[in-house]
Amino acid sequence: MVVSRLVQTPIALALGLTWQALLDPSFGIGSTPGLHWLAKPLLGSPELALYTVIFVIAWQFLPFHALLYQAGIRQIPTALYEAAALDGAGPVTRSGFTRMDSRQEGR
């Protein structure tokens, strides 16, 4: 637990400082040519602060969860897809229900 915190803390600090610099209205993303409409205090505005934080958190964690989902999907045996095709399931049904049913077995 302590080692995990020791690894995660510098990463979180680096991400925080990076996004703080990127979202700075003076020299961040808003100073890029063509993106002048972003030259406003995204974290200082009560209307935009929540959406900005949600975007940053989603940007940080979405790739990890997508990787976990992809790893889980790759573990589904092809025999299940073949069995669904033999039962007469179409491509969408075969893909959707086979994935959902096999993911629920692991609980």
Side-chain angles (χ1 to χ4, degrees):
M1 183 74 169
V2 174
V3 174
S4 173
R5 292 283 181 214
L6 289 175
V7 171
Q8 291 175 353
T9 301
I11 294 171
L13 286 172
L15 283 172
L17 291 173
T18 302
W19 279 103
Q20 181 183 9
L22 285 172
L23 296 174
D24 189 333
S26 301
F27 69 93
I29 296 173
S31 65
T32 305
L35 296 177
H36 62 281
W37 53 275
L38 283 173
K40 54 182 126 182
L42 296 174
L43 291 174
S45 169
E47 296 87 21
L48 298 173
L50 178 64
Y51 300 114
T52 304
V53 171
I54 289 172
F55 173 77
V56 170
I57 291 172
W59 175 86
Q60 181 180 2
F61 290 110
L62 189 68
F64 176 70
H65 292 289
L67 186 65
L68 288 179
Y69 178 75
Q70 182 184 13
I73 294 297
R74 289 180 183 255
Q75 296 299 317
I76 299 173
T78 56
L80 291 178
Y81 293 109
E82 293 170 0
L86 288 175
D87 288 343
V92 174
T93 306
R94 191 171 41 224
S95 176
F97 285 114
T98 304
R99 287 180 180 171
M100 293 306 290
D101 290 341
S102 64
R103 297 297 299 153
Q104 291 176 357
E105 289 176 9
R107 283 199 248 175

